[in-house]
Amino acid sequence: MTVRSFLSVLICAAVSLIPITSCSHQKFPEWRGAAPYRFPYGAWESSTLVAVGQMRHVNAYGEQTADRFPAPMSPLVHRLYWCAAEFDVVALIKGERPSSAKRYVWAQVSPGCNLWIWPDNPRAVDRSFQTRAWFFREDGEFLRPPFDSGTYPYLGLTTKWKDVETIAEARRELGTLLLTPSANAADLDEYAGYLASVINIACELLPKTDCAAQVRSLADLGSPRLREEACGLLNGELGQNCMPSRDTLPAR
């Protein structure tokens, strides 16, 4: 071993307790591109763990270089910026509570480690979210997003999370919030365009009869667009009878 390489090892060892490092021996997870699934249901299906909670101590984890990363990463990208955070579980929705020692680790193609720049539902990046339900998969010693690109890491809700005691209560609470327009969108018309994205998750979290009842109540809120969307889901996805409003029926 040369003096230079020996010094490099000593320096890397000295900073190994600090998250910011570009040492060659740093252990990185395997980068995973997005599957061709629609968000958020594709992320829900691909997650072994879903939990309401908060990220803290977000910082850089290291830089990884390679001649080529797995598809669908562009062949022009040769460097990934890895980031890490600690996750505080508020309520478990799916899966088992992770070890507190497991850090959440993800990759970006640019430096910054800003979790909040990712767009959220329905398309408003400037909306203030009070509740976030995060999608995870466990990858060895790490918590990871289901995919490193193409999907978002959480569902954002504008409503404050209500304290619950059991996973059954947490599932019912999230399912109800997903079917609450004011928790997801600025107005009923905007929510009408978002409802189909979350209906399958909501109906997995709620008993089918409760889900159908809540969707039916959406049809009666006075928005023709939302009524058309809700009735379409009731008639198709939920096997219930529902007529769109007169305003949405085609002219004869």
Side-chain angles (χ1 to χ4, degrees), residues 44 47-54 87-99 132-136 138 143 161-175 205:
W44 167 267
S47 298
T48 56
L49 169 67
V50 179
V52 173
Q54 299 175 341
F87 183 66
D88 288 336
V89 177
V90 173
L92 194 63
I93 305 297
K94 177 183 178 182
E96 297 182 359
R97 183 177 292 267
S99 166
R132 290 178 171 87
W134 295 82
F135 300 113
F136 299 107
E138 295 192 75
L143 288 177
W161 182 257
K162 183 176 69 175
D163 291 336
V164 294
E165 295 183 356
T166 67
I167 187 172
E169 292 174 329
R171 289 172 63 87
R172 181 179 291 274
E173 176 68 7
L174 181 58
L205 295 171

Side-chain angles (χ1 to χ4, degrees), residues 106-241:
W106 74 100
Q108 299 180 179
V109 296
S110 59
C113 292
N114 189 344
L115 280 169
W116 322 121
I117 63 173
W118 295 27
D120 297 291
N121 63 343
R123 282 173 301 277
V125 297
D126 60 344
R127 182 169 294 132
S128 176
F129 293 107
Q130 298 188 55
T131 296
R132 290 178 171 87
W134 295 82
F135 300 113
F136 299 107
R137 60 185 173 92
E138 295 192 75
D139 183 6
E141 64 188 270
F142 303 113
L143 288 177
R144 303 272 285 113
F147 305 103
D148 285 299
S149 69
T151 60
Y152 310 139
Y154 60 82
L155 281 170
L157 298 160
T158 60
T159 302
K160 186 176 180 180
W161 182 257
K162 183 176 69 175
D163 291 336
V164 294
E165 295 183 356
T166 67
I167 187 172
E169 292 174 329
R171 289 172 63 87
R172 181 179 291 274
E173 176 68 7
L174 181 58
T176 298
L177 286 176
L178 291 176
L179 297 179
T180 303
S182 61
N184 297 273
D187 54 51
L188 294 179
D189 284 349
E190 183 184 61
Y191 181 71
Y194 181 64
L195 175 58
S197 298
V198 295
I199 185 65
N200 289 330
I201 298 177
C203 286
E204 282 192 29
L205 295 171
L206 298 168
K208 185 175 181 179
T209 53
D210 290 2
C211 186
Q214 291 194 40
V215 174
R216 187 174 296 279
S217 70
L218 295 174
D220 297 328
L221 291 180
S223 165
R225 184 182 176 192
L226 181 54
R227 181 172 182 84
E228 181 180 30
E229 186 66 31
C231 281
L233 292 170
L234 283 167
N235 293 331
E237 301 284 340
L238 299 172
Q240 304 280 326
N241 293 324

